[in-house]
Amino acid sequence: MEPFTSAAVEPAPPTADDQRDAPRPHVVLLASPGAGHLIPLAELARRLADHHGVAPTLVTFADLDNPDARSAVLSSLPASVATATLPAVPLDDLPADAGLERTLFEVVHRSLPHLRVLLQSIGSTAALVPDFFCAAALSVADEVGVPGYIFFPTSITALCFMRRTVELHDDFAAAGEQRALPDPLELPGGVSLRTAEFPEAFRDSTALVYGQLVETGRQYRGAAGCLANSFYELEPAAVEDSKKAAEKGTFPPAYPVGPFVRSSSDEPGESACLEWLDRQP
């Protein structure tokens, strides 16, 4: 394994206020490959720095990513957000038909030693925030003695979907046993999904990736909480359902901390959408 050098981290320069005040708590955020995962987590990092007195470091992977898109997102961040990219890991032993999800899980798992070295090089850290595909990183948070929070870039309802999947397997003692989700699957707020409407990786309970998703959902239970790119008014039933699960101790508390969107009101055609939205109740 290539050593992770401190030169890979780009710390934000201290300001006059930083020097006068006590050190800011350091939070490390880990984004799995893909702009849809990186952009909202980058926005969370920015808000933690700008509005909550946190010193964030946003960590990305070198694998499975569009480097130009990743660079564009990272370069848009203010100097108050540090960034780091984990070294690439070998993947040539995976079969050609491994699929995106399985490959992504392998990248995360094989990158854990690099993440451990990075956290040790940073020093005192208040929390680790891996996104929903990086739940394996919670084990590293345990090793270094910091709380881990899973970030969901989609919604609380998607988190409820994952919780239902995990709960379906709670009475399966043997490792590797997998049970198909009911058709239809009932979710909070009167949402009823048929199998054909599930995310593709959840449709075939015999597939390897389905088992990996079940195990990932089980790992969520080791988190101190889940942060979702949502807000109460958007999905109140899902928030209340998650609150009940947390009170029972069956799943970590879920916090709707969004929405994390970047303003695009200057784009052509955007004003018509906003004008229509402004007329809604």
Side-chain angles (χ1 to χ4, degrees):
M1 182 184 75
E2 297 179 7
F4 192 99
T5 62
S6 59
V9 182
E10 303 167 8
T15 66
D17 288 339
D18 291 335
Q19 295 170 352
R20 286 194 300 267
D21 298 335
R24 297 180 297 163
H26 200 139
V27 173
V28 175
L29 305 98
L30 179 63
S32 58
H37 306 166
L38 176 59
I39 290 174
L41 196 60
E43 181 65 12
L44 172 59
R46 186 190 67 77
R47 296 189 191 186
L48 287 173
D50 291 351
H51 304 298
H52 299 283
V54 170
T57 295
L58 180 59
V59 182
T60 57
F61 295 87
D63 309 85
L64 303 180
D65 218 345
N66 181 330
D68 293 336
R70 183 177 69 234
S71 297
V73 174
L74 298 182
S75 63
S76 70
L77 290 169
S80 55
V81 178
T83 62
T85 300
L86 299 179
V89 294
L91 298 170
D92 51 1
D93 59 316
L94 295 181
D97 61 349
L100 178 60
E101 290 88 355
R102 180 183 173 187
T103 305
L104 195 154
F105 284 130
E106 286 294 333
V107 168
V108 173
H109 178 74
R110 298 179 188 193
S111 297
L112 293 184
H114 295 303
L115 177 64
R116 186 180 300 111
V117 172
L118 171 62
L119 290 177
Q120 292 169 344
S121 70
I122 290 175
S124 178
T125 301
L128 175 66
V129 184
D131 77 11
F132 64 156
F133 272 122
C134 300
L138 292 173
S139 63
V140 180
D142 287 339
E143 289 178 25
V144 300
V146 301
Y149 291 83
I150 294 293
F151 178 72
F152 245 73
T154 49
S155 65
I156 297 279
T157 299
L159 180 59
C160 291
F161 186 104
M162 179 63 89
R163 174 159 52 85
R164 293 283 196 274
T165 305
V166 173
E167 291 170 345
L168 185 69
H169 293 79
D170 278 346
D171 60 348
F172 275 39
E177 288 186 293
Q178 297 171 192
R179 178 182 291 176
L181 290 165
D183 183 4
L185 175 66
E186 305 297 333
L187 293 174
V191 176
S192 181
L193 295 180
R194 304 305 301 260
T195 299
E197 299 168 323
F198 295 172
E200 185 174 357
F202 287 88
R203 297 173 193 169
D204 180 5
S205 63
T206 65
L208 176 62
V209 68
Y210 182 83
Q212 290 177 311
L213 288 166
V214 172
E215 181 56 31
T216 296
R218 286 172 170 159
Q219 291 171 338
Y220 291 173
R221 285 176 160 166
C226 297
L227 312 179
N229 183 18
S230 185
F231 52 99
Y232 183 88
E233 292 81 2
L234 183 64
E235 41 182 353
V239 174
E240 294 298 332
D241 186 73
S242 296
K243 188 181 300 183
K244 292 177 182 177
E247 290 170 352
K248 294 178 182 177
T250 59
F251 228 70
Y255 304 102
V257 294
F260 296 124
V261 293
R262 293 185 297 178
S263 175
S264 58
S265 59
D266 57 341
E267 294 182 5
E270 189 73 14
S271 60
C273 296
L274 294 177
E275 289 171 3
W276 180 87
L277 284 169
D278 286 342
R279 293 195 298 269
Q280 307 315 305

